[in-house]
Amino acid sequence: MPKRRSKAEADALPTKRQQSRKESQPVTYIVCGLYVEGKTAVFRSLLKELESAVVIVSDLEASRPVIPKKAGGAFEVRGYSTESPQLPPQGLVKNVVVLPHDLARPSRIEAAMVSDSRTARLLTVLDARNFLDEWESTAKLPLALREAGKKDGRAHLHDKKACEVLAEHVESADVVVLTHTETTDADELEMLEAMLRELNPTATVVRRTGDGAGGARLLKHVAQANSERPAPAERGGCWQSLLAAHRQDANGDEAEEMMEEEMMEEEESDEE
């Protein structure tokens, strides 16, 4: 017989009416990532699927050419120069799409883009060809990017290493979009997806071809994202231990390969 819930547990569960209201709330779609090319393509693909939206971007001049042309001016484009963008007046628009600064902290953008009557979904864009190498690297961000970030209040993560920025993006995401999957080795792609599931077990991982323009509809995957997940700011914290374990495994495999090579060389020497 199924276990009966206590009254407190039952009260904590959302009713069908509450769940339906939450699913019908206006949505803010936030497209994050370090990979400008793929992020821009996913951003454009998402806009093509929407009938209308207020579009908020950190770089107005660079973003205008990628905004799809819709009859009747369906997309209203705004730039933002403050540390976080601001929501448009409530009730005037259903969809808001945000393309924040490359080094913006995703959880901070999300916090600025929600309200009692609006929810947000974070889409993180990763280049499947490069992620594992950059994830394992201890290199700092390029100097020019760091120096520019010091003077830009929108670049919340300018003092972080590349692997730390990637970790913030992955752990915060509701949907992780992988680009260039068709040119990525199959074994490496499976390893990448396994790593992403460790970093963010509840995120939806989507494979897309090319720079991010191909593949299935994005809105379908966004709609399937778990709406009861903790806020992005509460999801992080495990990436350091996972990265340390991954590096230890890699070092162990490398040491084992070196030992095997040495043994083979000794056997060949004995035979001679």
Side-chain angles (χ1 to χ4, degrees):
M1 178 180 293
K3 184 179 178 181
R4 189 172 181 177
R5 291 191 180 96
S6 68
K7 185 177 185 302
E9 289 174 327
D11 290 343
L13 292 173
T15 65
K16 289 184 178 181
R17 181 177 296 179
Q18 289 171 330
Q19 185 66 25
S20 176
R21 188 184 301 122
K22 189 164 187 176
E23 290 174 354
S24 64
Q25 280 184 333
V27 180
T28 300
Y29 304 93
I30 305 167
V31 184
C32 299
L34 274 176
Y35 309 102
V36 176
E37 178 191 19
K39 183 172 64 173
T40 302
V42 169
F43 169 71
R44 181 176 174 82
S45 294
L46 181 62
L47 291 179
K48 284 182 176 180
E49 294 184 35
L50 296 169
E51 295 181 359
S52 62
V54 169
V55 181
I56 305 175
V57 297
S58 63
D59 190 334
L60 194 58
E61 184 176 348
S63 300
R64 281 192 185 280
V66 303
I67 307 295
K69 304 299 181 185
K70 286 256 185 179
F75 296 114
E76 178 188 341
V77 187
R78 306 177 181 183
Y80 80 95
S81 57
T82 52
E83 292 188 3
S84 298
Q86 295 181 340
L87 272 173
Q90 297 295 328
L92 296 184
V93 64
K94 180 177 181 181
N95 300 313
V96 176
V97 182
V98 183
L99 188 65
H101 192 283
D102 297 341
L103 297 179
R105 189 183 298 276
S107 58
R108 191 163 173 177
I109 302 298
E110 190 265 357
M113 290 287 104
V114 297
S115 67
D116 292 340
S117 59
R118 173 175 292 276
T119 188
R121 290 289 179 267
L122 279 163
L123 291 81
T124 287
V125 183
L126 303 177
D127 189 328
R129 303 168 301 178
N130 305 325
F131 177 81
L132 287 177
D133 289 337
E134 295 188 1
W135 164 248
E136 295 173 2
S137 173
T138 58
K140 295 181 179 179
L141 292 167
L143 179 61
L145 195 58
R146 282 184 279 137
E147 291 300 318
K150 288 179 182 179
K151 305 171 186 176
D152 193 334
R154 301 169 299 178
H156 313 134
L157 303 174
H158 72 272
D159 58 343
K160 303 292 185 182
K161 295 178 180 178
C163 64
E164 294 175 315
V165 176
L166 290 171
E168 289 255 7
H169 286 168
V170 172
E171 289 187 330
S172 300
D174 294 293
V175 178
V176 177
V177 183
L178 300 177
T179 64
H180 297 290
T181 55
E182 78 286 359
T183 58
T184 305
D185 178 78
D187 291 338
E188 187 170 320
L189 192 56
E190 288 186 9
M191 188 185 305
L192 167 56
E193 291 182 336
M195 174 68 71
L196 295 174
R197 284 193 292 271
E198 284 189 273
L199 285 168
N200 192 336
T202 57
T204 301
V205 179
V206 182
R207 295 186 184 187
R208 290 175 76 83
T209 58
D211 58 8
R217 290 172 61 86
L218 281 169
L219 290 179
K220 178 186 72 173
H221 298 290
V222 173
Q224 292 171 348
N226 186 353
S227 61
E228 298 303 317
R229 300 176 67 215
E234 301 171 7
R235 297 176 197 164
C238 70
W239 69 269
Q240 293 98 332
S241 57
L242 288 173
L243 181 56
H246 184 72
R247 286 174 177 165
Q248 186 174 358
D249 290 342
N251 291 337
D253 292 342
E254 186 176 344
E256 188 175 341
E257 289 176 2
M258 290 179 64
M259 288 180 64
E260 290 177 355
E261 290 177 2
E262 290 176 359
M263 290 176 65
M264 291 178 63
E265 289 175 359
E266 289 178 1
E267 289 175 359
E268 290 173 358
S269 177
D270 291 341
E271 290 176 358
E272 291 176 357

